[in-house]
Amino acid sequence: EVQLVQSGAEVKKPGESLRISCKGSGYSFTSYWISWVRQMPGKGLEWMGRIDPSDSYTNYSPSFQGHVTISADKSISTAYLQWSSLKASDTAMYYCARHNEWEPIDPWGQGTLVTVSS
Amino acid sequence: EIVLTQSPGTLSLSPGERATLSCRASQSVSSSYLAWYQQKPGQAPRLLIYGASSRATGIPDRFSGSGSGTDFTLTISRLEPEDFAVYYCQQYGSSQNTFGQGTKLEIK
Protein backbone atom coordinates (compact mmCIF):
# COMPACT_ATOMS: atom_id res chain seq x y z
CA GLU A 1 0.00 0.00 0.00
CA VAL A 2 1.32 3.43 -0.95
CA GLN A 3 1.52 5.65 2.11
CA LEU A 4 2.79 9.10 2.98
CA VAL A 5 3.19 9.55 6.73
CA GLN A 6 3.81 13.05 8.00
CA SER A 7 5.38 14.23 11.23
CA GLY A 8 3.25 15.38 14.14
CA ALA A 9 1.69 18.72 14.99
CA GLU A 10 3.99 21.58 15.94
CA VAL A 11 3.53 24.67 18.09
CA LYS A 12 6.17 27.34 17.53
CA LYS A 13 6.85 30.99 18.30
CA PRO A 14 7.32 33.67 15.64
CA GLY A 15 10.91 33.80 14.44
CA GLU A 16 11.62 30.15 15.22
CA SER A 17 12.72 27.67 12.60
CA LEU A 18 10.92 24.45 11.74
CA ARG A 19 11.24 21.39 9.52
CA ILE A 20 8.36 18.98 9.00
CA SER A 21 8.68 15.64 7.26
CA CYS A 22 6.85 13.26 4.95
CA LYS A 23 7.94 9.62 4.69
CA GLY A 24 6.92 7.58 1.69
CA SER A 25 6.45 3.82 1.72
CA GLY A 26 5.03 1.11 -0.51
CA TYR A 27 6.59 2.49 -3.70
CA SER A 28 9.89 3.58 -5.22
CA PHE A 29 10.43 6.96 -3.54
CA THR A 30 12.66 8.27 -6.31
CA SER A 31 10.11 7.48 -9.05
CA TYR A 32 7.59 10.13 -8.00
CA TRP A 33 7.62 13.79 -7.08
CA ILE A 34 6.44 15.08 -3.72
CA SER A 35 4.41 18.29 -3.56
CA TRP A 36 3.52 20.34 -0.49
CA VAL A 37 0.10 21.96 -0.16
CA ARG A 38 -0.96 24.56 2.41
CA GLN A 39 -4.42 24.92 3.87
CA MET A 40 -4.89 27.88 6.18
CA PRO A 41 -7.67 27.63 8.78
CA GLY A 42 -11.06 27.56 7.07
CA LYS A 43 -9.51 28.22 3.66
CA GLY A 44 -8.74 26.39 0.44
CA LEU A 45 -5.79 24.42 -0.90
CA GLU A 46 -2.64 26.20 -2.10
CA TRP A 47 0.11 24.39 -4.01
CA MET A 48 3.46 25.44 -2.55
CA GLY A 49 5.98 23.56 -4.65
CA ARG A 50 7.42 20.16 -5.40
CA ILE A 51 10.61 18.15 -5.40
CA ASP A 52 11.90 15.31 -7.53
CA PRO A 53 13.61 13.08 -4.93
CA SER A 54 15.77 11.43 -7.59
CA ASP A 55 17.81 14.59 -8.14
CA SER A 56 16.35 17.06 -5.59
CA TYR A 57 15.18 19.41 -8.35
CA THR A 58 12.59 21.78 -6.92
CA ASN A 59 9.91 24.02 -8.38
CA TYR A 60 8.08 26.57 -6.21
CA SER A 61 4.91 28.56 -6.54
CA PRO A 62 5.83 32.26 -6.84
CA SER A 63 3.73 32.82 -3.69
CA PHE A 64 6.06 30.62 -1.64
CA GLN A 65 9.42 31.04 -3.38
CA GLY A 66 11.97 32.31 -0.85
CA HIS A 67 9.68 31.71 2.14
CA VAL A 68 10.07 27.94 2.47
CA THR A 69 12.56 25.29 1.42
CA ILE A 70 11.62 21.86 0.11
CA SER A 71 14.20 19.10 0.33
CA ALA A 72 14.42 15.31 0.34
CA ASP A 73 16.64 12.51 1.62
CA LYS A 74 16.15 9.61 -0.74
CA SER A 75 18.18 7.28 1.47
CA ILE A 76 15.34 7.34 4.01
CA SER A 77 12.46 8.05 1.57
CA THR A 78 11.61 11.31 3.28
CA ALA A 79 10.75 14.77 2.02
CA TYR A 80 10.87 17.94 4.10
CA LEU A 81 9.33 21.38 4.27
CA GLN A 82 11.37 23.95 6.15
CA TRP A 83 11.06 27.50 7.46
CA SER A 84 13.95 29.56 8.77
CA SER A 85 11.81 32.17 10.52
CA LEU A 86 8.16 31.42 11.15
CA LYS A 87 5.39 34.01 11.14
CA ALA A 88 1.92 33.84 12.64
CA SER A 89 0.58 33.72 9.08
CA ASP A 90 2.32 30.35 8.60
CA THR A 91 -0.29 28.80 10.88
CA ALA A 92 -1.92 26.16 8.71
CA MET A 93 -2.31 22.49 7.89
CA TYR A 94 0.40 21.30 5.52
CA TYR A 95 -0.07 18.26 3.32
CA CYS A 96 2.49 16.34 1.33
CA ALA A 97 1.33 14.37 -1.67
CA ARG A 98 2.75 12.19 -4.42
CA HIS A 99 2.54 12.70 -8.14
CA ASN A 100 4.52 12.93 -11.36
CA GLU A 101 4.66 15.37 -14.20
CA TRP A 102 1.29 15.47 -15.97
CA GLU A 103 -0.29 13.43 -13.17
CA PRO A 104 -2.83 14.42 -10.50
CA ILE A 105 -1.84 14.49 -6.84
CA ASP A 106 -2.55 11.13 -5.22
CA PRO A 107 -2.24 9.94 -2.51
CA TRP A 108 -1.96 12.61 0.18
CA GLY A 109 -0.35 12.48 3.59
CA GLN A 110 -2.51 12.91 6.68
CA GLY A 111 -1.37 16.51 7.17
CA THR A 112 0.78 18.32 9.73
CA LEU A 113 -0.77 21.16 11.70
CA VAL A 114 1.65 24.01 12.33
CA THR A 115 0.62 26.64 14.86
CA VAL A 116 2.72 29.79 15.22
CA SER A 117 1.82 31.92 18.20
CA SER A 118 3.59 34.06 20.73
CA GLU B 1 0.12 30.99 -13.51
CA ILE B 2 -3.27 29.55 -14.41
CA VAL B 3 -6.04 30.85 -12.13
CA LEU B 4 -8.98 28.51 -11.52
CA THR B 5 -12.33 30.00 -10.52
CA GLN B 6 -14.97 27.68 -9.08
CA SER B 7 -18.67 28.39 -8.91
CA PRO B 8 -20.84 28.51 -7.01
CA GLY B 9 -19.02 29.13 -3.74
CA THR B 10 -21.73 27.22 -1.87
CA LEU B 11 -24.32 24.84 -3.27
CA SER B 12 -27.30 23.82 -1.12
CA LEU B 13 -29.05 20.65 -2.28
CA SER B 14 -30.92 17.67 -0.87
CA PRO B 15 -29.93 14.00 -1.01
CA GLY B 16 -31.08 12.46 -4.28
CA GLU B 17 -30.67 15.70 -6.22
CA ARG B 18 -28.14 16.36 -8.98
CA ALA B 19 -25.16 18.60 -8.31
CA THR B 20 -23.29 20.55 -10.98
CA LEU B 21 -20.03 22.26 -10.01
CA SER B 22 -18.07 24.52 -12.35
CA CYS B 23 -14.37 25.28 -12.72
CA ARG B 24 -13.18 27.94 -15.16
CA ALA B 25 -9.52 28.49 -16.03
CA SER B 26 -7.89 31.81 -16.91
CA GLN B 27 -6.19 30.11 -19.87
CA SER B 28 -6.51 26.81 -21.62
CA VAL B 29 -5.57 23.78 -19.50
CA SER B 30 -3.08 21.69 -21.44
CA SER B 31 -4.40 18.31 -22.59
CA SER B 32 -7.25 18.45 -20.07
CA TYR B 33 -4.89 18.00 -17.13
CA LEU B 34 -7.68 18.90 -14.75
CA ALA B 35 -8.53 17.02 -11.56
CA TRP B 36 -11.27 17.20 -8.95
CA TYR B 37 -10.82 16.46 -5.25
CA GLN B 38 -13.25 15.98 -2.38
CA GLN B 39 -12.39 17.10 1.14
CA LYS B 40 -14.38 16.33 4.25
CA PRO B 41 -13.79 18.08 7.60
CA GLY B 42 -10.65 16.88 9.33
CA GLN B 43 -9.54 14.79 6.36
CA ALA B 44 -7.00 15.10 3.59
CA PRO B 45 -8.35 15.70 0.08
CA ARG B 46 -9.26 12.63 -2.00
CA LEU B 47 -8.80 12.39 -5.75
CA LEU B 48 -12.12 11.90 -7.58
CA ILE B 49 -11.51 12.75 -11.24
CA TYR B 50 -8.37 13.20 -13.34
CA GLY B 51 -7.81 14.02 -16.99
CA ALA B 52 -11.05 16.02 -16.76
CA SER B 53 -13.26 12.94 -17.06
CA SER B 54 -11.57 9.78 -15.73
CA ARG B 55 -12.72 8.48 -12.36
CA ALA B 56 -10.03 7.57 -9.87
CA THR B 57 -9.91 4.07 -8.41
CA GLY B 58 -12.88 3.26 -6.20
CA ILE B 59 -14.87 6.39 -7.04
CA PRO B 60 -18.61 5.67 -7.55
CA ASP B 61 -20.01 6.20 -11.03
CA ARG B 62 -22.42 8.87 -9.78
CA PHE B 63 -19.37 11.18 -10.02
CA SER B 64 -18.52 12.35 -13.52
CA GLY B 65 -16.32 15.04 -15.01
CA SER B 66 -16.46 16.83 -18.32
CA GLY B 67 -15.05 19.79 -20.18
CA SER B 68 -11.95 20.96 -21.98
CA GLY B 69 -9.99 24.11 -22.65
CA THR B 70 -11.07 26.58 -20.00
CA ASP B 71 -14.43 25.20 -18.82
CA PHE B 72 -14.83 22.09 -16.71
CA THR B 73 -17.70 20.52 -14.77
CA LEU B 74 -18.05 17.99 -11.98
CA THR B 75 -21.46 16.34 -11.83
CA ILE B 76 -22.82 14.19 -9.03
CA SER B 77 -25.87 12.48 -10.47
CA ARG B 78 -27.74 11.59 -7.28
CA LEU B 79 -26.40 13.00 -4.04
CA GLU B 80 -25.74 10.61 -1.19
CA PRO B 81 -25.40 11.89 2.41
CA GLU B 82 -21.64 11.23 2.31
CA ASP B 83 -21.18 13.50 -0.73
CA PHE B 84 -21.68 16.70 1.23
CA ALA B 85 -18.18 18.13 1.42
CA VAL B 86 -15.91 20.71 -0.21
CA TYR B 87 -14.78 20.12 -3.80
CA TYR B 88 -11.67 21.54 -5.43
CA CYS B 89 -10.50 21.55 -9.00
CA GLN B 90 -6.78 21.51 -9.81
CA GLN B 91 -4.80 21.93 -13.00
CA TYR B 92 -1.54 20.00 -13.35
CA GLY B 93 -0.74 20.83 -16.96
CA SER B 94 1.83 23.47 -16.24
CA SER B 95 4.93 23.67 -14.07
CA GLN B 96 2.84 25.64 -11.56
CA ASN B 97 0.04 23.46 -10.26
CA THR B 98 -2.93 25.51 -9.06
CA PHE B 99 -6.20 24.85 -7.23
CA GLY B 100 -9.56 26.53 -7.42
CA GLN B 101 -10.91 28.14 -4.27
CA GLY B 102 -13.42 25.35 -3.67
CA THR B 103 -17.18 24.77 -3.74
CA LYS B 104 -18.90 23.78 -0.52
CA LEU B 105 -21.73 21.34 -1.12
CA GLU B 106 -24.11 21.53 1.84
CA ILE B 107 -27.32 19.81 2.79
CA LYS B 108 -30.41 21.91 2.13
Side-chain angles (χ1 to χ4, degrees):
Chain A
E1 179 192 6
V2 175
Q3 275 195 309
L4 296 173
V5 178
Q6 299 185 228
S7 49
E10 301 275 359
V11 179
K12 292 288 189 179
K13 290 180 166 46
E16 292 186 329
S17 62
L18 175 65
R19 188 176 76 167
I20 62 175
S21 67
C22 169
K23 183 173 176 61
S25 64
Y27 72 100
S28 173
F29 187 70
T30 54
S31 296
Y32 292 85
W33 299 350
I34 294 288
S35 272
W36 287 93
V37 176
R38 183 176 77 173
Q39 187 167 39
M40 299 177 75
K43 302 299 183 182
L45 305 172
E46 300 174 272
W47 182 79
M48 301 174 71
R50 61 90 177 170
I51 188 166
D52 180 345
S54 68
D55 60 8
S56 290
Y57 177 82
T58 53
N59 181 21
Y60 293 91
S61 163
S63 299
F64 293 93
Q65 179 86 46
H67 297 288
V68 296
T69 301
I70 297 172
S71 61
D73 184 342
K74 60 185 178 183
S75 70
I76 55 172
S77 301
T78 300
Y80 302 97
L81 179 64
Q82 183 174 335
W83 295 261
S84 59
S85 181
L86 287 160
K87 304 175 184 178
S89 57
D90 293 317
T91 294
M93 181 71 80
Y94 293 88
Y95 294 100
C96 68
R98 187 194 81 161
H99 67 111
N100 259 332
E101 191 172 22
W102 317 132
E103 290 186 356
I105 292 177
D106 184 59
W108 297 62
Q110 83 278 18
T112 295
L113 180 62
V114 174
T115 303
V116 184
S117 174
S118 54
Chain B
E1 179 179 291
I2 298 176
V3 177
L4 300 179
T5 303
Q6 293 186 238
S7 61
T10 302
L11 186 56
S12 300
L13 294 170
S14 300
E17 291 193 293
R18 180 185 186 90
T20 303
L21 287 66
S22 174
C23 176
R24 177 162 291 177
S26 61
Q27 56 187 279
S28 184
V29 176
S30 174
S31 300
S32 295
Y33 290 131
L34 191 288
W36 290 92
Y37 299 85
Q38 177 193 68
Q39 188 179 33
K40 296 180 180 180
Q43 297 184 15
R46 176 175 71 146
L47 176 66
L48 297 176
I49 300 288
Y50 63 95
S53 61
S54 298
R55 273 188 300 277
T57 302
I59 301 303
D61 60 8
R62 65 180 180 272
F63 290 91
S64 63
S66 63
S68 64
T70 60
D71 289 294
F72 298 89
T73 301
L74 174 69
T75 301
I76 310 171
S77 59
R78 286 181 57 86
L79 285 166
E80 298 287 343
E82 63 267 27
D83 298 337
F84 292 91
V86 180
Y87 292 83
Y88 296 95
C89 58
Q90 178 224 6
Q91 66 78 23
Y92 51 97
S94 72
S95 61
Q96 300 290 321
N97 283 205
T98 50
F99 289 93
Q101 83 279 18
T103 290
K104 181 179 181 181
L105 179 55
E106 65 176 24
I107 299 177
K108 187 173 183 180

PDB file of all heavy atoms in Angstrom, chain B residues 28-50:
ATOM      1  N   SER B  28      -6.236  28.190 -21.303  1.00  0.00           N
ATOM      2  CA  SER B  28      -6.515  26.806 -21.625  1.00  0.00           C
ATOM      3  C   SER B  28      -5.648  25.847 -20.801  1.00  0.00           C
ATOM      4  O   SER B  28      -4.441  26.048 -20.665  1.00  0.00           O
ATOM      5  CB  SER B  28      -6.289  26.565 -23.114  1.00  0.00           C
ATOM      6  OG  SER B  28      -6.633  25.251 -23.463  1.00  0.00           O
ATOM      7  N   VAL B  29      -6.286  24.809 -20.280  1.00  0.00           N
ATOM      8  CA  VAL B  29      -5.572  23.781 -19.505  1.00  0.00           C
ATOM      9  C   VAL B  29      -5.046  22.729 -20.468  1.00  0.00           C
ATOM     10  O   VAL B  29      -5.816  22.078 -21.187  1.00  0.00           O
ATOM     11  CB  VAL B  29      -6.497  23.149 -18.446  1.00  0.00           C
ATOM     12  CG1 VAL B  29      -5.775  22.014 -17.719  1.00  0.00           C
ATOM     13  CG2 VAL B  29      -6.963  24.201 -17.454  1.00  0.00           C
ATOM     14  N   SER B  30      -3.740  22.564 -20.494  1.00  0.00           N
ATOM     15  CA  SER B  30      -3.079  21.685 -21.437  1.00  0.00           C
ATOM     16  C   SER B  30      -3.595  20.260 -21.342  1.00  0.00           C
ATOM     17  O   SER B  30      -3.624  19.666 -20.263  1.00  0.00           O
ATOM     18  CB  SER B  30      -1.569  21.722 -21.169  1.00  0.00           C
ATOM     19  OG  SER B  30      -0.884  20.789 -21.964  1.00  0.00           O
ATOM     20  N   SER B  31      -4.003  19.715 -22.484  1.00  0.00           N
ATOM     21  CA  SER B  31      -4.404  18.305 -22.594  1.00  0.00           C
ATOM     22  C   SER B  31      -5.381  17.861 -21.525  1.00  0.00           C
ATOM     23  O   SER B  31      -5.360  16.720 -21.067  1.00  0.00           O
ATOM     24  CB  SER B  31      -3.167  17.395 -22.572  1.00  0.00           C
ATOM     25  OG  SER B  31      -2.318  17.708 -23.643  1.00  0.00           O
ATOM     26  N   SER B  32      -6.233  18.783 -21.081  1.00  0.00           N
ATOM     27  CA  SER B  32      -7.253  18.453 -20.069  1.00  0.00           C
ATOM     28  C   SER B  32      -6.638  17.878 -18.794  1.00  0.00           C
ATOM     29  O   SER B  32      -7.195  16.961 -18.192  1.00  0.00           O
ATOM     30  CB  SER B  32      -8.289  17.494 -20.643  1.00  0.00           C
ATOM     31  OG  SER B  32      -9.005  18.110 -21.681  1.00  0.00           O
ATOM     32  N   TYR B  33      -5.506  18.430 -18.400  1.00  0.00           N
ATOM     33  CA  TYR B  33      -4.888  18.001 -17.134  1.00  0.00           C
ATOM     34  C   TYR B  33      -5.590  18.707 -15.972  1.00  0.00           C
ATOM     35  O   TYR B  33      -5.031  19.584 -15.314  1.00  0.00           O
ATOM     36  CB  TYR B  33      -3.391  18.309 -17.128  1.00  0.00           C
ATOM     37  CG  TYR B  33      -2.571  17.454 -18.067  1.00  0.00           C
ATOM     38  CD1 TYR B  33      -1.653  18.031 -18.941  1.00  0.00           C
ATOM     39  CD2 TYR B  33      -2.701  16.065 -18.076  1.00  0.00           C
ATOM     40  CE1 TYR B  33      -0.891  17.254 -19.794  1.00  0.00           C
ATOM     41  CE2 TYR B  33      -1.946  15.280 -18.925  1.00  0.00           C
ATOM     42  CZ  TYR B  33      -1.043  15.883 -19.792  1.00  0.00           C
ATOM     43  OH  TYR B  33      -0.284  15.112 -20.644  1.00  0.00           O
ATOM     44  N   LEU B  34      -6.832  18.284 -15.759  1.00  0.00           N
ATOM     45  CA  LEU B  34      -7.682  18.896 -14.754  1.00  0.00           C
ATOM     46  C   LEU B  34      -8.218  17.796 -13.847  1.00  0.00           C
ATOM     47  O   LEU B  34      -8.712  16.762 -14.322  1.00  0.00           O
ATOM     48  CB  LEU B  34      -8.830  19.645 -15.453  1.00  0.00           C
ATOM     49  CG  LEU B  34      -9.747  20.607 -14.685  1.00  0.00           C
ATOM     50  CD1 LEU B  34     -10.715  19.892 -13.751  1.00  0.00           C
ATOM     51  CD2 LEU B  34      -8.955  21.659 -13.918  1.00  0.00           C
ATOM     52  N   ALA B  35      -8.082  17.995 -12.536  1.00  0.00           N
ATOM     53  CA  ALA B  35      -8.527  17.017 -11.556  1.00  0.00           C
ATOM     54  C   ALA B  35      -9.537  17.649 -10.601  1.00  0.00           C
ATOM     55  O   ALA B  35      -9.584  18.867 -10.438  1.00  0.00           O
ATOM     56  CB  ALA B  35      -7.331  16.472 -10.765  1.00  0.00           C
ATOM     57  N   TRP B  36     -10.339  16.782  -9.986  1.00  0.00           N
ATOM     58  CA  TRP B  36     -11.274  17.195  -8.945  1.00  0.00           C
ATOM     59  C   TRP B  36     -10.974  16.388  -7.677  1.00  0.00           C
ATOM     60  O   TRP B  36     -10.709  15.183  -7.743  1.00  0.00           O
ATOM     61  CB  TRP B  36     -12.709  16.925  -9.376  1.00  0.00           C
ATOM     62  CG  TRP B  36     -13.216  17.805 -10.474  1.00  0.00           C
ATOM     63  CD1 TRP B  36     -13.164  17.554 -11.818  1.00  0.00           C
ATOM     64  CD2 TRP B  36     -13.873  19.069 -10.327  1.00  0.00           C
ATOM     65  NE1 TRP B  36     -13.732  18.595 -12.519  1.00  0.00           N
ATOM     66  CE2 TRP B  36     -14.190  19.525 -11.625  1.00  0.00           C
ATOM     67  CE3 TRP B  36     -14.235  19.865  -9.238  1.00  0.00           C
ATOM     68  CZ2 TRP B  36     -14.843  20.745 -11.863  1.00  0.00           C
ATOM     69  CZ3 TRP B  36     -14.884  21.065  -9.465  1.00  0.00           C
ATOM     70  CH2 TRP B  36     -15.182  21.499 -10.770  1.00  0.00           C
ATOM     71  N   TYR B  37     -11.051  17.086  -6.539  1.00  0.00           N
ATOM     72  CA  TYR B  37     -10.822  16.461  -5.246  1.00  0.00           C
ATOM     73  C   TYR B  37     -12.000  16.748  -4.332  1.00  0.00           C
ATOM     74  O   TYR B  37     -12.641  17.799  -4.422  1.00  0.00           O
ATOM     75  CB  TYR B  37      -9.546  17.010  -4.587  1.00  0.00           C
ATOM     76  CG  TYR B  37      -8.285  16.762  -5.379  1.00  0.00           C
ATOM     77  CD1 TYR B  37      -7.903  17.628  -6.395  1.00  0.00           C
ATOM     78  CD2 TYR B  37      -7.489  15.652  -5.126  1.00  0.00           C
ATOM     79  CE1 TYR B  37      -6.760  17.405  -7.143  1.00  0.00           C
ATOM     80  CE2 TYR B  37      -6.339  15.424  -5.861  1.00  0.00           C
ATOM     81  CZ  TYR B  37      -5.994  16.303  -6.875  1.00  0.00           C
ATOM     82  OH  TYR B  37      -4.856  16.071  -7.610  1.00  0.00           O
ATOM     83  N   GLN B  38     -12.245  15.815  -3.419  1.00  0.00           N
ATOM     84  CA  GLN B  38     -13.250  15.984  -2.377  1.00  0.00           C
ATOM     85  C   GLN B  38     -12.533  16.071  -1.035  1.00  0.00           C
ATOM     86  O   GLN B  38     -11.605  15.295  -0.770  1.00  0.00           O
ATOM     87  CB  GLN B  38     -14.187  14.764  -2.368  1.00  0.00           C
ATOM     88  CG  GLN B  38     -15.237  14.774  -1.275  1.00  0.00           C
ATOM     89  CD  GLN B  38     -15.891  13.395  -1.147  1.00  0.00           C
ATOM     90  OE1 GLN B  38     -15.261  12.431  -0.738  1.00  0.00           O
ATOM     91  NE2 GLN B  38     -17.165  13.320  -1.499  1.00  0.00           N
ATOM     92  N   GLN B  39     -12.956  17.017  -0.216  1.00  0.00           N
ATOM     93  CA  GLN B  39     -12.385  17.101   1.137  1.00  0.00           C
ATOM     94  C   GLN B  39     -13.491  17.212   2.167  1.00  0.00           C
ATOM     95  O   GLN B  39     -14.349  18.096   2.085  1.00  0.00           O
ATOM     96  CB  GLN B  39     -11.434  18.294   1.273  1.00  0.00           C
ATOM     97  CG  GLN B  39     -10.688  18.287   2.614  1.00  0.00           C
ATOM     98  CD  GLN B  39      -9.733  19.432   2.769  1.00  0.00           C
ATOM     99  OE1 GLN B  39      -9.955  20.537   2.277  1.00  0.00           O
ATOM    100  NE2 GLN B  39      -8.627  19.192   3.473  1.00  0.00           N
ATOM    101  N   LYS B  40     -13.448  16.300   3.136  1.00  0.00           N
ATOM    102  CA  LYS B  40     -14.376  16.326   4.253  1.00  0.00           C
ATOM    103  C   LYS B  40     -13.667  16.911   5.464  1.00  0.00           C
ATOM    104  O   LYS B  40     -12.428  16.852   5.549  1.00  0.00           O
ATOM    105  CB  LYS B  40     -14.907  14.921   4.535  1.00  0.00           C
ATOM    106  CG  LYS B  40     -15.717  14.363   3.372  1.00  0.00           C
ATOM    107  CD  LYS B  40     -16.235  12.973   3.669  1.00  0.00           C
ATOM    108  CE  LYS B  40     -17.042  12.463   2.492  1.00  0.00           C
ATOM    109  NZ  LYS B  40     -17.569  11.097   2.718  1.00  0.00           N
ATOM    110  N   PRO B  41     -14.423  17.455   6.430  1.00  0.00           N
ATOM    111  CA  PRO B  41     -13.785  18.082   7.601  1.00  0.00           C
ATOM    112  C   PRO B  41     -12.824  17.137   8.309  1.00  0.00           C
ATOM    113  O   PRO B  41     -13.148  15.969   8.561  1.00  0.00           O
ATOM    114  CB  PRO B  41     -14.984  18.423   8.490  1.00  0.00           C
ATOM    115  CG  PRO B  41     -16.112  18.615   7.534  1.00  0.00           C
ATOM    116  CD  PRO B  41     -15.879  17.600   6.451  1.00  0.00           C
ATOM    117  N   GLY B  42     -11.629  17.653   8.600  1.00  0.00           N
ATOM    118  CA  GLY B  42     -10.645  16.879   9.325  1.00  0.00           C
ATOM    119  C   GLY B  42      -9.933  15.819   8.514  1.00  0.00           C
ATOM    120  O   GLY B  42      -9.173  15.024   9.080  1.00  0.00           O
ATOM    121  N   GLN B  43     -10.167  15.785   7.211  1.00  0.00           N
ATOM    122  CA  GLN B  43      -9.542  14.789   6.357  1.00  0.00           C
ATOM    123  C   GLN B  43      -8.703  15.445   5.264  1.00  0.00           C
ATOM    124  O   GLN B  43      -8.933  16.596   4.883  1.00  0.00           O
ATOM    125  CB  GLN B  43     -10.603  13.895   5.703  1.00  0.00           C
ATOM    126  CG  GLN B  43     -11.410  13.079   6.679  1.00  0.00           C
ATOM    127  CD  GLN B  43     -12.374  12.143   5.970  1.00  0.00           C
ATOM    128  OE1 GLN B  43     -12.269  11.899   4.762  1.00  0.00           O
ATOM    129  NE2 GLN B  43     -13.325  11.600   6.718  1.00  0.00           N
ATOM    130  N   ALA B  44      -7.752  14.667   4.757  1.00  0.00           N
ATOM    131  CA  ALA B  44      -6.998  15.104   3.592  1.00  0.00           C
ATOM    132  C   ALA B  44      -7.887  15.015   2.343  1.00  0.00           C
ATOM    133  O   ALA B  44      -8.855  14.247   2.320  1.00  0.00           O
ATOM    134  CB  ALA B  44      -5.765  14.226   3.406  1.00  0.00           C
ATOM    135  N   PRO B  45      -7.578  15.804   1.334  1.00  0.00           N
ATOM    136  CA  PRO B  45      -8.346  15.695   0.080  1.00  0.00           C
ATOM    137  C   PRO B  45      -8.219  14.299  -0.530  1.00  0.00           C
ATOM    138  O   PRO B  45      -7.220  13.602  -0.314  1.00  0.00           O
ATOM    139  CB  PRO B  45      -7.699  16.752  -0.813  1.00  0.00           C
ATOM    140  CG  PRO B  45      -7.069  17.725   0.131  1.00  0.00           C
ATOM    141  CD  PRO B  45      -6.604  16.893   1.285  1.00  0.00           C
ATOM    142  N   ARG B  46      -9.248  13.926  -1.304  1.00  0.00           N
ATOM    143  CA  ARG B  46      -9.262  12.634  -1.995  1.00  0.00           C
ATOM    144  C   ARG B  46      -9.484  12.875  -3.480  1.00  0.00           C
ATOM    145  O   ARG B  46     -10.398  13.624  -3.865  1.00  0.00           O
ATOM    146  CB  ARG B  46     -10.378  11.747  -1.431  1.00  0.00           C
ATOM    147  CG  ARG B  46     -10.530  10.415  -2.150  1.00  0.00           C
ATOM    148  CD  ARG B  46     -11.555   9.517  -1.508  1.00  0.00           C
ATOM    149  NE  ARG B  46     -12.931   9.963  -1.694  1.00  0.00           N
ATOM    150  CZ  ARG B  46     -13.968   9.147  -1.838  1.00  0.00           C
ATOM    151  NH1 ARG B  46     -13.766   7.834  -1.885  1.00  0.00           N
ATOM    152  NH2 ARG B  46     -15.200   9.619  -1.943  1.00  0.00           N
ATOM    153  N   LEU B  47      -8.670  12.236  -4.295  1.00  0.00           N
ATOM    154  CA  LEU B  47      -8.800  12.386  -5.746  1.00  0.00           C
ATOM    155  C   LEU B  47     -10.077  11.709  -6.233  1.00  0.00           C
ATOM    156  O   LEU B  47     -10.321  10.537  -5.947  1.00  0.00           O
ATOM    157  CB  LEU B  47      -7.583  11.775  -6.438  1.00  0.00           C
ATOM    158  CG  LEU B  47      -7.599  11.764  -7.967  1.00  0.00           C
ATOM    159  CD1 LEU B  47      -7.536  13.187  -8.528  1.00  0.00           C
ATOM    160  CD2 LEU B  47      -6.438  10.923  -8.509  1.00  0.00           C
ATOM    161  N   LEU B  48     -10.887  12.447  -6.990  1.00  0.00           N
ATOM    162  CA  LEU B  48     -12.116  11.900  -7.576  1.00  0.00           C
ATOM    163  C   LEU B  48     -11.965  11.668  -9.078  1.00  0.00           C
ATOM    164  O   LEU B  48     -12.273  10.597  -9.594  1.00  0.00           O
ATOM    165  CB  LEU B  48     -13.275  12.879  -7.373  1.00  0.00           C
ATOM    166  CG  LEU B  48     -13.730  13.220  -5.972  1.00  0.00           C
ATOM    167  CD1 LEU B  48     -14.819  14.281  -6.044  1.00  0.00           C
ATOM    168  CD2 LEU B  48     -14.221  11.982  -5.243  1.00  0.00           C
ATOM    169  N   ILE B  49     -11.531  12.710  -9.780  1.00  0.00           N
ATOM    170  CA  ILE B  49     -11.508  12.749 -11.238  1.00  0.00           C
ATOM    171  C   ILE B  49     -10.153  13.278 -11.696  1.00  0.00           C
ATOM    172  O   ILE B  49      -9.622  14.219 -11.092  1.00  0.00           O
ATOM    173  CB  ILE B  49     -12.610  13.681 -11.790  1.00  0.00           C
ATOM    174  CG1 ILE B  49     -13.999  13.231 -11.364  1.00  0.00           C
ATOM    175  CG2 ILE B  49     -12.499  13.809 -13.321  1.00  0.00           C
ATOM    176  CD1 ILE B  49     -14.503  11.980 -12.055  1.00  0.00           C
ATOM    177  N   TYR B  50      -9.587  12.678 -12.739  1.00  0.00           N
ATOM    178  CA  TYR B  50      -8.367  13.196 -13.343  1.00  0.00           C
ATOM    179  C   TYR B  50      -8.528  13.187 -14.866  1.00  0.00           C
ATOM    180  O   TYR B  50      -9.432  12.521 -15.392  1.00  0.00           O
ATOM    181  CB  TYR B  50      -7.134  12.382 -12.918  1.00  0.00           C
ATOM    182  CG  TYR B  50      -7.173  10.936 -13.382  1.00  0.00           C
ATOM    183  CD1 TYR B  50      -6.551  10.555 -14.563  1.00  0.00           C
ATOM    184  CD2 TYR B  50      -7.839   9.971 -12.640  1.00  0.00           C
ATOM    185  CE1 TYR B  50      -6.587   9.240 -15.002  1.00  0.00           C
ATOM    186  CE2 TYR B  50      -7.886   8.659 -13.064  1.00  0.00           C
ATOM    187  CZ  TYR B  50      -7.262   8.305 -14.235  1.00  0.00           C
ATOM    188  OH  TYR B  50      -7.307   6.999 -14.664  1.00  0.00           O
TER     189      TYR B  50
END
